[in-house]
Amino acid sequence: MRKATLVEMEKYRSNPFPGMNPFLELQWADVHTKMISYISDALSEELPDDLRSIAEENLSVTGTNQKNYRADVAVVETYRNGLPPLWQPDAESGIAPVVAAEPEIILVAPETQRWIEIRDRYEELVTVIEVLSPSNKLSQAGREQYRAKQQDLLSAGVNLVEIDLIRQGSHVITAEESRLRPIESGETRYIICAVRALHPDRREVYYCPLKHPLPTIRIPLRPFDPDVPLTLQPLIDRVWHTGRCWHLNHQANPPGPDWSESEGQWIDEKLIQAGLR
């Protein structure tokens, strides 16, 4: 196989889509981490001097009773095969050695949940920005956990901004699905929703069709602060570039519902133009 020319490589490095790139779901953990960081950085340039943007995280472990843990301490284990040594009596003690059965090892990978907080100098929480992940939308436990967090934030009088750029899973943002503008047949539409603490019964919705650039949205702060603009499209394009996402598999469809025929043709054309198909 011949090597790509510099001109071809430069073409790869540009997001082939004008808006959200659905193939980013193939490595969403990395995309999500980068988006959280880039959004936090972008807001820090615009916030009033007495507010700050913080990238927060905790660990979510699913099971019979789902738990969340703040990742303050890392426990590093160095035992062989992940098992600590078993206590044994001294040879001179006369106590019979303990014979223990060998357990089967099952590895569980907890997921790190990340979001953005805007706080004032007194650590009062002003606004939370959530970039949704498949874990928020795919399982009943994940949906219930996310909805409980929504209610906690709104009950506490915190502004909430939800950015859903995931095609997979069920509707979970605070705007009721039945109240949204109907989706045209075969259209892929991402969605963003903001809820202001001053107007908890009102939803500010941004519709983001696949074929359009992502919008500049308004981030609500305190009642006396002007909204801060957050332009999302350059951040997604930056994720594509810094994540070297042209290496993803563009031959098959990414996770999520099947495309309509017209949308599938449009996607195919974009990828062929970019040299990715």
Side-chain angles (χ1 to χ4, degrees), residues 132-191:
L132 271 62
S133 288
S135 61
N136 303 130
K137 300 176 64 180
L138 287 176
S139 70
Q140 181 176 349
R143 291 191 294 271
E144 290 176 354
Q145 180 192 12
Y146 181 71
R147 287 184 174 126
K149 183 178 181 180
Q150 285 174 331
Q151 291 305 312
D152 288 344
L153 292 170
L154 297 180
S155 297
V158 176
N159 302 309
L160 174 61
V161 179
E162 302 168 290
I163 302 173
D164 185 359
L165 303 177
I166 295 290
R167 296 174 66 243
Q168 306 174 70
S170 302
H171 179 91
V172 291
I173 65 169
T174 53
E176 295 177 18
E177 191 170 16
S178 60
R179 304 288 297 275
L180 298 178
R181 184 189 306 163
I183 300 177
E184 294 182 14
S185 178
E187 178 189 5
T188 294
R189 184 181 70 188
Y190 303 102
I191 197 161

Side-chain angles (χ1 to χ4, degrees), residues 26 149 190 208 246:
L26 293 171
K149 183 178 181 180
Y190 303 102
C208 310
W246 53 88

Side-chain angles (χ1 to χ4, degrees), residues 93-113:
S93 67
I95 301 175
V98 176
V99 179
E102 288 294 322
E104 177 182 346
I105 305 299
I106 299 175
L107 298 178
V108 177
E111 179 178 6
T112 301
Q113 303 283 349

Side-chain angles (χ1 to χ4, degrees), residues 4 8 11-12 14 33 47 61 69 73 89 101 118 123 125 133 136 144 165 185 189 199 205 234:
E8 289 172 329
K11 184 167 62 173
Y12 294 159
S14 298
T33 300
L47 289 174
V61 182
Y69 305 91
V73 180
I118 297 175
E123 292 300 318
L125 184 58
S133 288
N136 303 130
E144 290 176 354
L165 303 177
S185 178
R189 184 181 70 188
H199 303 285
V205 175

Side-chain angles (χ1 to χ4, degrees), residues 40-267:
S40 183
D41 288 347
L43 291 175
S44 293
E45 299 295 325
E46 302 288 342
L47 289 174
D49 289 342
D50 61 338
L51 294 180
R52 60 196 179 106
S53 174
I54 309 160
E56 275 287 3
E57 69 175 31
N58 66 12
L59 296 179
S60 176
V61 182
T62 58
T64 304
N65 297 307
Q66 184 156 319
K67 300 291 184 182
N68 291 306
Y69 305 91
R70 184 174 297 279
D72 290 331
V73 180
V75 179
V76 179
E77 62 99 280
T78 58
Y79 300 116
R80 183 187 175 202
N81 297 327
L83 293 174
L86 188 67
W87 177 84
Q88 295 288 354
D90 295 334
E92 300 176 354
S93 67
I95 301 175
V98 176
V99 179
E102 288 294 322
E104 177 182 346
I105 305 299
I106 299 175
L107 298 178
V108 177
E111 179 178 6
T112 301
Q113 303 283 349
R114 294 182 174 89
W115 64 94
I116 299 152
E117 294 181 355
I118 297 175
R119 291 182 177 269
D120 66 15
R121 65 181 60 181
Y122 305 107
E123 292 300 318
E124 287 292 323
L125 184 58
V126 175
T127 302
V128 167
I129 302 171
E130 292 277 0
V131 180
L132 271 62
S133 288
S135 61
N136 303 130
K137 300 176 64 180
L138 287 176
S139 70
Q140 181 176 349
R143 291 191 294 271
E144 290 176 354
Q145 180 192 12
Y146 181 71
R147 287 184 174 126
K149 183 178 181 180
Q150 285 174 331
Q151 291 305 312
D152 288 344
L153 292 170
L154 297 180
S155 297
V158 176
N159 302 309
L160 174 61
V161 179
E162 302 168 290
I163 302 173
D164 185 359
L165 303 177
I166 295 290
R167 296 174 66 243
Q168 306 174 70
S170 302
H171 179 91
V172 291
I173 65 169
T174 53
E176 295 177 18
E177 191 170 16
S178 60
R179 304 288 297 275
L180 298 178
R181 184 189 306 163
I183 300 177
E184 294 182 14
S185 178
E187 178 189 5
T188 294
R189 184 181 70 188
Y190 303 102
I191 197 161
I192 299 166
C193 179
V195 187
R196 296 174 186 267
L198 278 179
H199 303 285
D201 57 344
R202 189 174 76 182
R203 304 292 182 264
E204 299 173 12
V205 175
Y206 301 83
Y207 298 101
C208 310
L210 175 65
K211 298 181 182 181
H212 295 182
L214 293 175
T216 296
I217 65 175
R218 303 166 68 105
I219 303 298
L221 303 175
R222 297 164 298 194
F224 53 85
D225 291 317
D227 292 345
V228 169
L230 176 62
T231 304
L232 290 170
Q233 190 58 49
L235 305 184
I236 279 293
D237 294 341
R238 185 180 173 193
V239 167
W240 168 271
H241 182 80
T242 58
R244 301 174 71 86
C245 297
W246 53 88
H247 291 301
L248 297 174
N249 177 17
H250 291 87
Q251 303 307 311
N253 288 341
D258 291 335
W259 312 114
S260 67
E261 184 177 353
S262 61
E263 210 165 51
Q265 290 175 350
W266 180 83
I267 290 167

